[in-house]
Amino acid sequence: MRVLVTGGAGYVGSVTVETLHEAGHDVVVLDDLSTGHRQAVVEGVPLEVGSYGDPATISRVLATHRIEAVLHCAAKSQVAESMADPAKYYRENVAGGVALLEGMRTGGVKRIVFSSTAAVYGMPERTPITEDMPTIPINTYGETKRTFEQGIRWYGHAYGLRSVIFRYFNVAGASERNGEAHDPETHLIPKVLAAAATGTELTIFGDDFATPDGTCIRDYIHVRDLARAHLMALEATDPGDTRTGPRDGRCVPLVCNLGSGAGYSNREVVRAAEQVAGVTIATRIGPRREGDPDILIASAARAAEILGWRPEHDSIAEMIGSAWAWRKTGWGDKA
Ligand code: UFG
């Protein structure tokens, strides 16, 4: 399959590109390198530097490489930034996304797998979270992802766009080659590992949540498991595969949570990192961060039933261990 991966120089995108490339697919990366890293793109995979939101660029890239399916990983994805600058998130995630869909429609590309987020659920009333629960985002980031999900839905209805929408929970870990290198970093595991490596203090945002140890519980999924799910999803958008619709006619997105179905508290994450790194990590309790739900755990049943996907690396020790090993290669510091 000839696949275009937008955001293929980013964290999730780059590890997925490795997996698709190893599976023998012809992969092309489109990334504007605003947050991605050139060196994250595996050798032998063409990198087109540009924006999926630019109509001329997307049309040219789809046609030149005779793309059959798009994996849309590129996006703005920082919750705090989305609240301070919603215009940027509507411009990139919504307007840019529609430009991508238009490029696909006019170029006759009818298959998409989209990286959405558990942030579409907002403050869910219960866990585990199933895909049919209401989507009421509480931040602009989640809202723009939800809006684009709906765009895909209506393109499927009217134009037969075949799609899989993945709602990611907390992605963690690394491949041997690629890992998480955001600037600024806001995510717990890379910050815990930075504290372990440098001896700085980690602030845990609140310890008065309704959980056994008072800190938030999140569902972590290994980025390599996530990458494998994308491979399975791209296969499911084949025109002959009824999981994403009839061969011709109206299609409905296959929406799946991607999580491991288990949760770890922030304190448990710190403890696991201490064991992996063999050091004591200094922590202090700070105020709650705005908008953090007590517990977010996915039901991963649908991805298992329909795609046959199950996490293979779901121990927090393995996720943190791989992130630590990758950090020690020094790649993230040079990024
Ligand atoms: N945390 C700390 N200290 C830090 C950083 C994080 O205590 O320095 C805590 C957070 O308060 C939270 C937990 O660690 O309780 C996890 O926080 P992350 O920022 O790592 O991840 P989130 O659960 O906030 O966000 C993730 C994705 C988002 C997505 C969301 C959906 O990164 O993109 O899940 O639920 F929107």
Side-chain angles (χ1 to χ4, degrees), residues 140-158:
T140 314
Y141 167 60
E143 181 72 307
T144 57
K145 288 283 186 174
R146 195 190 67 87
T147 304
F148 189 66
E149 285 191 5
Q150 297 308 315
I152 290 177
R153 176 175 298 279
W154 294 114
Y155 269 63
H157 185 84

Side-chain angles (χ1 to χ4, degrees), residues 11 15 171-181 185 187-194 196-197 220-224 269 272-273 276-277 313 315-333:
Y11 171 40
V15 177
V171 188
S175 69
E176 280 173 24
R177 192 177 194 289
N178 284 311
E180 197 170 4
E185 189 54 75
H187 292 134
L188 180 64
I189 290 179
K191 286 178 76 178
V192 169
L193 295 182
Y220 292 90
I221 171 172
H222 199 300
V223 66
R224 288 176 55 203
V269 167
V276 164
H313 310 282
S315 94
I316 195 75
E318 187 176 353
M319 289 183 232
I320 294 177
S322 67
W324 182 244
W326 178 75
R327 197 192 149 83
K328 285 204 291 197
T329 66
W331 192 101
D333 300 328

Side-chain angles (χ1 to χ4, degrees), residues 33-326:
L33 301 180
S34 58
T35 52
H37 310 281
R38 187 180 289 275
Q39 68 268 40
V41 180
V42 75
E43 292 78 19
V45 169
L47 166 65
E48 295 273 2
V49 179
S51 169
Y52 62 86
D54 176 53
T57 301
I58 190 65
S59 294
R60 178 184 59 76
V61 169
L62 292 176
T64 309
H65 299 280
R66 295 182 298 125
I67 296 299
E68 295 166 291
V70 173
L71 171 58
H72 184 36
C73 290
K76 294 295 158 204
S77 62
Q78 289 182 23
V79 171
E81 183 188 53
S82 81
M83 299 303 277
D85 190 3
K88 182 174 184 178
Y89 280 68
Y90 276 92
R91 208 164 51 231
E92 302 264 345
N93 295 357
V94 179
V98 173
L100 170 67
L101 291 182
E102 279 299 277
M104 292 176 66
R105 184 170 72 85
T106 53
V109 180
K110 292 190 142 191
R111 303 166 64 177
I112 189 167
V113 175
F114 172 54
S115 302
S116 189
T117 169
V120 298
Y121 295 112
M123 294 279 197
E125 277 170 15
R126 55 189 163 80
T127 56
I129 300 167
T130 50
E131 293 84 352
D132 53 4
M133 282 170 60
T135 49
I136 313 169
I138 56 161
N139 53 58
T140 314
Y141 167 60
E143 181 72 307
T144 57
K145 288 283 186 174
R146 195 190 67 87
T147 304
F148 189 66
E149 285 191 5
Q150 297 308 315
I152 290 177
R153 176 175 298 279
W154 294 114
Y155 269 63
H157 185 84
Y159 312 124
L161 177 66
R162 313 178 76 85
S163 63
V164 176
I165 294 172
F166 280 139
R167 294 176 178 160
Y168 301 169
F169 282 65
N170 291 58
V171 188
S175 69
E176 280 173 24
R177 192 177 194 289
N178 284 311
E180 197 170 4
H182 295 117
D183 182 20
E185 189 54 75
T186 60
H187 292 134
L188 180 64
I189 290 179
K191 286 178 76 178
V192 169
L193 295 182
T198 60
T200 49
E201 190 179 61
L202 175 88
T203 302
I204 294 179
F205 300 139
D207 67 350
D208 58 351
F209 290 89
T211 62
D213 70 15
T215 64
C216 291
I217 293 179
R218 294 290 179 270
D219 181 334
Y220 292 90
I221 171 172
H222 199 300
V223 66
R224 288 176 55 203
D225 281 330
L226 200 76
R228 207 165 33 83
H230 290 76
L231 176 57
M232 294 168 139
L234 283 163
E235 286 165 356
T237 61
D238 186 274
D241 195 317
T242 52
R243 292 175 295 181
T244 50
R247 185 173 280 278
D248 290 304
R250 293 181 171 164
C251 295
V252 176
L254 170 58
V255 181
C256 293
N257 290 335
L258 284 184
S260 53
Y264 295 94
S265 77
N266 296 344
R267 281 194 205 279
E268 285 172 327
V269 167
V270 172
R271 267 201 301 280
E274 287 180 329
Q275 279 179 357
V276 164
V279 297
T280 301
I281 297 169
T283 56
R284 65 178 279 271
I285 302 298
R288 284 183 176 214
R289 192 174 65 176
E290 193 188 352
D292 267 341
D294 304 54
I295 302 176
L296 285 177
I297 296 178
S299 162
R302 187 185 284 177
E305 266 163 42
I306 301 182
L307 291 175
W309 172 87
R310 280 174 190 78
E312 290 175 356
H313 310 282
D314 55 358
S315 94
I316 195 75
E318 187 176 353
M319 289 183 232
I320 294 177
S322 67
W324 182 244
W326 178 75

